[in-house]
Amino acid sequence: MSSPLYQSPKGVHDILPDDHLYFSFIKKVVRHRCRRAGFRRISTPMFENVDVFTRGIGETTDVVEKEMFVFESKSGKKFALRPEGTASVIRAYLEHGMQQLPKPVELYYIEPFFRYNRPQKGRYHQFHQFGFEVLGEADAAIDAQVIYLAYRINQDLGIADQLSLQINTIGSVADREKYKEDLIHFYTGKERSLCEDCKRRKDKNPLRLLDCKEEDCQILASMAPQFEHVMGEASKDHFALLLEYLEKLKIPYTKNPRLVRGLDYYTHTVFEFWSKSEGSQNATGGGGRYDGLIELMGGQDTPGLGYSAGMERTMEYMKEVGIRPPNKDKVQVFLAQLGLVAKKRSLSLLNELRERGINVVGAVGKDSVKAQMGLADRLGAKYALLLGQIEVQENTIILKNMEKGCQETIPYEGIVDKMVQLVGENKLEDKRLWEE
Ligand code: HAM
């Protein structure tokens, strides 16, 4: 087969109907769980002034240094396609006076994002995240609630047992400044053993050296000073309390002192959900506390925290472990017709069935009953209705159960109610199957 004239650019992709079943299901679960927990939805623009991200995420992070799609307007203003949601949500929070709202302010989003990193499985130039942010509360119980929400969503999606929650604390800003000094001191004189990225980052962002994937850097990181030794009592208490809450909520976790995350705004709690089989390679989601971010972006000192998960990675993971979302697109009824009077009656019957919530297809452009029934088969319709000239004259209709292969002629009167009842019984059956 020759390749098509046009193809989508590398790193971006179409979401085809079968994948939309996953996306719709993920969105439904996220909306449901977020609403239940008092979150309200927010959408920010696809691009922002570049400073929102350089300031919010941090100039020396990979995301800002290497992965942003930056462009200039005709008047010379610099914009960036959003690489993540948190900085934009904080910008919107401050811009729209949401500081005046009762605290905590709880917002969630389901949006596309853009990062210019090397495309590979689970890593794209355009991808989707769902995420949530809680602004205005410093208590460790809020961290536990955010982690619970992420975990609960994973449970609803059927993947919680295959993911491991990795959790760490990176302390307060003051703790970290002290720790950074210790790390710079430790790495000074050992630069030759570091990869090029780590050499460059050593003085500006030495924390990132701890989660470098290069073997030599990992060996050095395992010998580096431990954060615990510089962490203040308040930070230790916050973390200890959070772990207690997680135990109370029966959320299994793994303490991972090497987890630092790639964005600069984090303080105290950081966490990620890793695949138990693939480790950190394809984290489905991650988040943490960012108590200094709102102030950094021009607001008053306000604590915050949040989480976001990649929808493509979540979907791929659901597929890998064999989770199939309910198919809301499934054709439930096929309506076949023969002859002009039957076709006329079919047109209104199709609409009546659709108005009553049934997914029904009628091939009114086809005249051969054989071709129509072949299509009903291929679409996987559970029921077919057949309307010919005789049926119209006698005011009847043929109802065929496509799975069982049996059919009966029944009165036309009341057919819509009957189909609503039959399809409803099947929906219940499908729901039971999904929940099993
Ligand atoms: P992040 O860890 O950079 O955090 O991204 C969260 C998730 O987005 C990742 O775990 C991954 O599933 C997905 N993701 C990231 N980059 C890509 C990519 N290039 N292709 C496909 N999926 C990707 C954040 O974005 C923070 N804003 C999370 C947060 C919210 N922290 C506090 N509040």
Side-chain angles (χ1 to χ4, degrees):
M1 208 171 66
S2 64
S3 51
L5 188 54
Y6 299 110
Q7 293 172 24
S8 61
K10 215 168 172 222
V12 300
H13 51 259
D14 304 305
I15 306 168
L16 298 175
D18 281 346
D19 283 349
H20 260 300
L21 295 178
Y22 287 87
F23 268 51
S24 304
F25 184 57
I26 297 170
K27 284 182 201 169
K28 188 177 162 193
V29 164
V30 170
R31 281 199 302 261
H32 169 71
R33 287 290 162 201
C34 284
R35 271 194 208 122
R36 281 280 163 88
F39 285 73
R40 301 189 70 207
R41 187 159 176 183
I42 184 167
S43 289
T44 58
M46 297 248 191
F47 63 91
E48 299 265 1
N49 286 314
V50 72
D51 306 346
V52 170
F53 304 117
T54 41
R55 188 141 186 87
I57 300 170
E59 267 175 88
T60 56
T61 56
D62 278 353
V63 171
V64 167
E65 263 188 354
K66 304 183 197 162
E67 297 176 358
M68 276 205 301
F69 283 91
V70 178
F71 60 98
E72 244 175 58
S73 72
K74 286 192 176 147
S75 63
K77 280 202 178 118
K78 255 190 169 180
F79 298 110
L81 292 182
R82 58 179 177 203
E84 61 104 51
T86 312
S88 302
V89 167
I90 303 303
R91 195 266 310 133
Y93 170 85
L94 293 172
E95 184 174 337
H96 300 289
M98 285 190 246
Q99 308 97 299
Q100 315 307 331
L101 298 175
K103 304 247 178 348
V105 175
E106 298 179 310
L107 301 165
Y108 78 99
Y109 46 89
I110 306 174
E111 303 284 338
F113 293 92
F114 308 86
R115 289 188 196 178
Y116 188 72
N117 39 22
R118 199 162 57 82
Q120 50 184 285
K121 186 172 171 272
R123 194 173 290 280
Y124 311 107
H125 285 169
Q126 179 180 332
F127 59 99
H128 296 75
Q129 279 184 351
F130 67 81
F132 29 89
E133 315 291 344
V134 180
L135 310 172
E137 291 273 15
D139 199 293
I142 307 291
D143 303 33
Q145 277 191 323
V146 163
I147 294 175
Y148 181 77
L149 182 57
Y151 177 73
R152 191 70 188 85
I153 288 171
N154 287 338
Q155 274 188 329
D156 282 351
L157 298 176
I159 56 176
D161 290 343
Q162 282 81 19
L163 295 173
S164 90
L165 167 63
Q166 305 281 314
I167 188 160
N168 189 24
T169 176
I170 54 168
S172 66
V173 176
D175 293 339
R176 266 223 315 288
E177 286 311 312
K178 167 87 188 61
Y179 187 47
K180 277 183 187 174
E181 280 171 27
D182 290 0
L183 286 177
I184 293 172
H185 185 70
F186 169 79
Y187 281 109
T188 302
K190 303 184 179 69
E191 288 86 350
R192 275 203 319 197
S193 313
L194 295 172
C195 71
E196 289 309 310
D197 272 350
C198 286
K199 270 188 198 137
R200 206 168 27 82
R201 286 185 188 132
K202 189 201 103 200
D203 290 317
K204 279 191 176 169
N205 199 354
L207 274 168
R208 290 304 312 280
L209 273 58
L210 297 178
D211 73 348
C212 177
K213 306 280 181 287
E214 294 294 327
E215 204 182 332
D216 285 352
C217 300
Q218 285 200 352
I219 295 172
L220 269 185
S222 67
M223 297 187 291
Q226 301 268 310
F227 188 43
E228 275 174 69
H229 305 310
V230 288
M231 195 160 45
E233 286 309 310
S235 302
K236 283 184 188 163
D237 289 349
H238 184 96
F239 194 49
L241 207 51
L242 167 60
L243 298 184
E244 253 181 60
Y245 292 139
L246 292 182
E247 274 150 36
K248 186 97 195 124
L249 291 169
K250 297 194 170 51
I251 304 175
Y253 63 83
T254 303
K255 272 208 289 180
N256 180 347
R258 303 271 293 278
L259 185 75
V260 292
R261 308 253 315 127
L263 312 160
D264 271 2
Y265 47 63
Y266 292 113
T267 51
H268 299 289
T269 313
V270 286
F271 64 98
E272 284 181 357
F273 285 94
W274 289 4
S275 146
K276 282 185 182 163
S277 52
E278 284 179 275
S280 61
Q281 278 319 300
N282 276 333
T284 55
R289 196 163 258 294
Y290 44 80
D291 289 349
L293 179 61
I294 296 180
E295 197 176 7
L296 186 75
M297 293 190 66
Q300 281 171 354
D301 182 14
T302 312
L305 84 158
Y307 167 79
S308 57
M311 290 176 57
E312 283 78 3
R313 283 196 201 169
T314 301
M315 171 179 76
E316 279 152 24
Y317 204 63
M318 289 170 76
K319 285 182 185 174
E320 251 169 55
V321 297
I323 307 285
R324 298 276 165 267
N327 185 353
K328 289 277 175 86
D329 299 346
K330 204 152 61 183
V331 174
Q332 294 157 325
V333 177
F334 187 92
L335 175 58
Q337 40 68 41
L338 184 65
L340 192 59
V341 272
K343 188 180 281 194
K344 284 181 185 162
R345 182 168 271 195
S346 296
L347 284 174
S348 24
L349 179 55
L350 278 171
N351 289 344
E352 283 172 53
L353 290 166
R354 287 172 186 158
E355 290 297 328
R356 295 287 298 275
I358 297 177
N359 293 354
V360 50
V361 169
V364 288
K366 288 189 175 26
D367 288 330
S368 142
V369 172
K370 196 168 166 230
Q372 292 182 65
M373 292 312 285
L375 184 59
D377 238 353
R378 265 190 291 143
L379 292 173
K382 175 125 190 188
Y383 299 101
L385 291 169
L386 279 81
L387 207 52
Q389 233 118 301
I390 299 173
E391 285 75 32
V392 175
Q393 269 167 20
E394 293 177 352
N395 226 6
T396 58
I397 191 163
I398 299 170
L399 168 63
K400 182 168 180 182
N401 184 320
M402 298 292 286
E403 276 169 12
K404 295 187 180 145
C406 55
Q407 67 180 56
E408 54 180 334
T409 301
I410 54 173
Y412 185 79
E413 185 94 2
I415 185 62
V416 176
D417 286 337
K418 179 158 183 82
M419 295 318 293
V420 169
Q421 188 201 340
L422 283 176
V423 167
E425 282 165 13
N426 269 299
K427 268 195 199 152
L428 277 179
E429 183 62 16
D430 281 356
K431 199 161 178 270
R432 264 199 299 277
L433 284 175
W434 168 253
E435 283 169 355
E436 261 169 21

